């Protein structure tokens, strides 16, 4: 039993993978909490697709994938924010148009690169076992910066998330706070793509936060529970991947989903069983 936990750490590539998955889980848990509070899961999906052409262009040009992804994500987010000002179009419609176009552009760009099939597969489904020391440093630096910024803007993000009109009335810069959160979501997604891939990265961003939302009503506690679930899900999925020789990204997401289902059923106040107990209690007539 002990070997199950110690053997993977004997390999350098697994050590790198564990570190990146751990950091990605923590960062996505924190940033994802703000996304979940605002009901912005769809914008997370849009950004996940929007960074793809930037990463593809950076891959073809042999430059920084993080920089390429962040630039593409920010350009798309800004375009969505501007076009959404037209009241004839709902924001989710504009998001749908732009993220589909961005993903299509990414595939076209990737098709021009040598080894197109293998490269595309690694971007779509992740390549956590192929992470380099440079990647580990990049994720660590970017992740630390995101956590610091999230802490500095925590009150503002929460205020906007709970009541945009109140936030606007007290003079908060709503547009720029939205852009800051979009930028943070973009960076969190870019640094996590190698762990779970472009298609599955939304799950790492949203699922741990959704679990935490079921377990607590306090935002501060949610900010602690979500990254813990993200980190544990990542490490567990990676262990299972090593033990059974299965896709790491898929197992990480499935582990997080299993935690979500458990919370949905057994959460003390908001779980399915808790609601049934309350309903059954209310159905019993009160006798004098």
């Amino acid at each position: 039993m002990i070997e199950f936990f110690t053997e993977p750490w004997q390999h350098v590539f697994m050590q790198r993978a564990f570190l990146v998955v751990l950091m990605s889980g923590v960062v996505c848990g924190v940033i994802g909490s703000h996304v979940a509070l605002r009901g912005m899961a769809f914008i997370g999906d849009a950004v996940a697709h929007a960074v793809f052409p930037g990463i593809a262009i950076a891959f073809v040009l042999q430059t920084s994938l993080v920089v390429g992804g962040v630039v593409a994500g920010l350009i798309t987010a800004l375009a969505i924010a501007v076009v959404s000002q037209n009241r004839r179009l709902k924001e989710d419609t504009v998001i749908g148009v732009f993220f589909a176009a961005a993903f299509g552009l990414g595939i076209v760009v990737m098709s021009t690169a040598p080894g197109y099939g293998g490269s595309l597969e690694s971007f779509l489904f992740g390549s956590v076992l192929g992470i380099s020391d440079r990647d580990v440093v990049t994720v660590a630096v970017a992740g630390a910066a995101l956590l610091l910024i999230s802490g500095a803007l925590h009150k503002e993000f929460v205020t906007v998330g709970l009541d945009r009109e109140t936030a606007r009335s007290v003079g908060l810069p709503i547009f720029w706070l939205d852009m800051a959160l979009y930028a943070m979501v973009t960076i969190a997604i870019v640094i996590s793509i190698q762990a779970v891939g472009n298609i599955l990265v939304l799950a790492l961003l949203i699922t741990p936060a959704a679990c935490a939302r079921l377990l607590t009503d306090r935002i501060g506690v949610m900010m602690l529970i979500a990254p813990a679930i993200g980190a544990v899900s990542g490490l567990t999925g990676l262990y299972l991947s090593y033990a059974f020789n299965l896709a790491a990204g898929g197992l990480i997401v499935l582990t997080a989903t299993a935690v979500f289902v458990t919370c949905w059923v057994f959460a003390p106040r908001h779980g399915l069983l808790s609601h049934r107990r309350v309903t059954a209690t209310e159905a019993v007539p009160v006798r004098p």
Side-chain angles (χ1 to χ4, degrees):
M1 185 64 178
I2 297 178
E3 292 182 356
F4 176 80
F5 293 100
T6 59
E7 184 179 349
W9 289 92
Q10 297 175 9
H11 306 285
V12 175
F13 69 91
M14 287 299 296
Q15 294 172 11
R16 296 174 185 146
F18 277 123
L19 290 174
V20 168
V21 165
L22 178 63
M23 292 184 289
S24 296
V26 170
V27 171
C28 284
V30 173
I31 306 303
S33 295
H34 291 295
V35 173
L37 285 173
R38 292 200 191 189
M40 290 171 50
F42 195 36
I43 190 66
D45 194 22
V47 171
H49 287 74
V51 302
F52 185 54
I55 292 176
I57 292 173
F59 177 79
V60 172
L61 299 178
Q62 297 296 305
T63 59
S64 172
L65 302 184
V66 173
V67 173
V70 170
V71 170
L74 291 179
I75 290 175
T76 305
L78 181 61
I80 290 171
V82 172
V83 177
S84 296
Q85 301 304 310
N86 187 327
R87 296 184 179 181
R88 291 286 296 174
L89 297 173
K90 292 185 177 181
E91 187 178 28
D92 59 349
T93 302
V94 178
I95 290 171
V97 171
F98 275 94
F99 90 64
F103 199 66
L105 175 60
I107 292 176
V108 170
V109 172
M110 284 298 298
S111 67
T112 65
Y116 157 65
S119 301
L120 180 61
E121 183 178 353
S122 66
F123 282 121
L124 295 181
F125 305 112
S127 56
V128 68
L129 301 183
I131 288 173
S132 66
D133 290 332
R134 180 181 177 183
D135 295 327
V136 175
V137 173
T138 299
V139 172
V141 172
L146 285 179
L147 294 178
L148 289 174
I149 295 171
S150 178
L153 298 178
H154 175 74
K155 292 182 180 179
E156 289 78 4
F157 283 152
V158 171
T159 302
V160 174
L162 295 179
D163 192 336
R164 292 179 70 86
E165 294 307 317
T166 299
R168 185 175 286 109
S169 67
V170 299
L172 290 180
I174 305 295
F175 178 81
W176 293 111
L177 286 172
D178 285 344
M179 289 304 300
L181 184 56
Y182 291 167
M184 293 167 69
V185 170
T186 300
I187 297 172
I189 286 173
V190 170
I191 65 176
S192 303
I193 278 180
Q194 290 185 89
V196 294
N198 186 271
I199 291 178
L200 301 177
V201 71
L202 181 66
L204 196 60
L205 188 72
I206 299 299
T207 307
C211 296
R213 193 79 176 93
L214 289 170
L215 294 173
T216 182
D217 295 322
R218 300 178 61 184
I219 295 175
V221 177
M222 180 180 175
M223 293 291 175
L224 297 175
I225 295 176
I229 292 175
V232 171
S233 298
L235 295 177
T236 302
L238 202 52
Y239 269 114
L240 294 175
S241 170
Y242 180 85
F244 299 104
N245 194 27
L246 296 173
L251 284 173
I252 291 171
V253 171
L254 288 177
T255 302
T257 304
V259 175
F260 172 78
V261 172
T262 302
C263 294
W264 180 72
V265 175
F266 297 105
R269 295 184 59 186
H270 304 292
L272 178 64
L273 296 183
S274 176
H275 284 178
R276 287 187 174 181
R277 284 195 296 269
V278 171
T279 303
T281 303
E282 292 175 349
V284 175
V286 178
R287 297 181 179 180

